[in-house]
Amino acid sequence: DTAVSQTPKYLVTQMGNDKSIKCEQNLGHDTMYWYKQDSKKFLKIMFSYNNKELIINETVPNRFSPKSPDKAHLNLHINSLELGDSAVYFCASMRGWDTGELFFGEGSRLTVL
Amino acid sequence: GQNIDQPTEMTATEGAIVQINCTYQTSGFNGLFWYQQHAGEAPTFLSYNVLDGLEEKGRFSSFLSRSKGYSYLLLKELQMKDSASYLCAVSPLVTGGSYIPTFGRGTSLIVHP
């Protein structure tokens, strides 16, 4: 069974469109994250969310919004897509700080034309 | 904020030993992590140091000096499959008790025959 799964794996769309990427984890972890990895491979935190609190990286445009219907899901919604949004988006989860281990999904490659 | 520095690229020969350094400056500190990322794949967890000293795990070892804001990842008996990007990450404690691993830009390791 896949621990952290993301869909879709590939997404090609036009500027100005709205799109969503779904993420589910079956590990029972309390905290989930979204990271963006750009063409230079820099992995940048976008959001952190647990059942108590959403933490947003202040540099993330408000066109990006996380939505968590329940503890096992953290979806990423993007409005009015721009060329610079092209990247690989990784979802991850963590059980707790005692292990410090992030479990990553396979990534979703978004291409904005 | 956090500042994490590591070399952009390193090359080594199969069977050799390589050390990848990471220096960091962070407000608050709750551990340093190393992840491995092969091209086109998600990062995978290698090690976690929270106290000073050396942690050994098979061919890989990780060292931490909190007073110096310094860590290294040591890879022994290099194999071709070790060619990958190695990501150093630290995590401060943010408000509300959340932990948000923040990554350096990664070191691309190329292993030659």
Side-chain angles (χ1 to χ4, degrees), chain A residues 31 33 35 37-38 40-45 47-48 50 53 55 90 94 97-107 109, chain B residues 30-31 33 35 37 40-45 48 85 87 90-92 94-106:
Chain A
T31 307
Y33 306 82
Y35 283 87
Q37 189 167 45
D38 60 25
K40 296 183 179 180
K41 308 304 180 187
F42 182 34
L43 200 61
K44 181 178 177 182
I45 182 69
F47 304 102
S48 165
N50 62 24
E53 183 174 30
I55 296 188
F90 285 101
M94 182 187 292
W97 203 242
D98 55 337
T99 67
E101 180 175 357
L102 283 169
F103 289 79
F104 283 89
E106 293 182 327
R109 180 176 292 279
Chain B
N30 285 281
F33 312 85
Y35 283 79
Q37 186 177 24
E41 298 182 7
T44 55
F45 175 81
Y48 172 44
S85 182
L87 309 172
V90 297
S91 185
V94 298
T95 55
S98 294
Y99 300 87
I100 302 182
T102 301
F103 288 82
R105 292 186 174 270

Side-chain angles (χ1 to χ4, degrees), chain B:
Chain B
Q2 297 87 49
N3 187 37
I4 303 168
D5 288 317
Q6 49 182 132
T8 304
E9 186 174 295
M10 298 182 71
T11 59
T13 305
E14 193 175 15
I17 299 173
V18 71
Q19 177 174 311
I20 302 174
N21 296 324
C22 172
T23 59
Y24 64 90
Q25 296 171 321
T26 183
S27 53
F29 178 80
N30 285 281
L32 186 137
F33 312 85
W34 285 95
Y35 283 79
Q36 179 190 60
Q37 186 177 24
H38 285 101
E41 298 182 7
T44 55
F45 175 81
L46 289 178
S47 67
Y48 172 44
N49 293 68
V50 66
L51 299 175
D52 290 352
L54 187 68
E55 295 278 344
E56 298 187 76
K57 190 184 293 185
R59 294 189 299 114
F60 292 6
S61 303
S62 57
F63 171 83
L64 175 66
S65 170
R66 289 173 295 170
S67 62
K68 296 181 179 178
Y70 168 69
S71 173
Y72 67 74
L73 180 69
L74 192 70
L75 292 76
K76 302 176 184 176
E77 300 171 14
L78 280 172
Q79 302 175 9
M80 298 297 289
K81 67 178 182 179
D82 296 330
S83 293
S85 182
Y86 291 85
L87 309 172
C88 174
V90 297
S91 185
L93 174 62
V94 298
T95 55
S98 294
Y99 300 87
I100 302 182
T102 301
F103 288 82
R105 292 186 174 270
T107 299
S108 178
L109 174 65
I110 301 169
V111 180
H112 298 292

Side-chain angles (χ1 to χ4, degrees), chain A residues 7-63:
Chain A
T7 55
K9 288 184 171 49
Y10 300 95
L11 186 54
V12 181
T13 188
Q14 300 287 330
M15 276 197 304
N17 286 348
D18 302 339
K19 291 294 178 184
S20 293
I21 305 172
K22 296 183 178 180
C23 179
E24 175 182 4
Q25 55 98 359
N26 62 5
L27 298 167
H29 290 172
D30 287 329
T31 307
M32 296 183 73
Y33 306 82
W34 276 106
Y35 283 87
K36 176 182 180 182
Q37 189 167 45
D38 60 25
S39 58
K40 296 183 179 180
K41 308 304 180 187
F42 182 34
L43 200 61
K44 181 178 177 182
I45 182 69
M46 300 179 71
F47 304 102
S48 165
Y49 186 82
N50 62 24
N51 55 10
K52 302 173 185 176
E53 183 174 30
L54 170 67
I55 296 188
I56 301 172
N57 184 328
E58 60 189 13
T59 66
V60 174
N62 58 15
R63 298 182 295 104

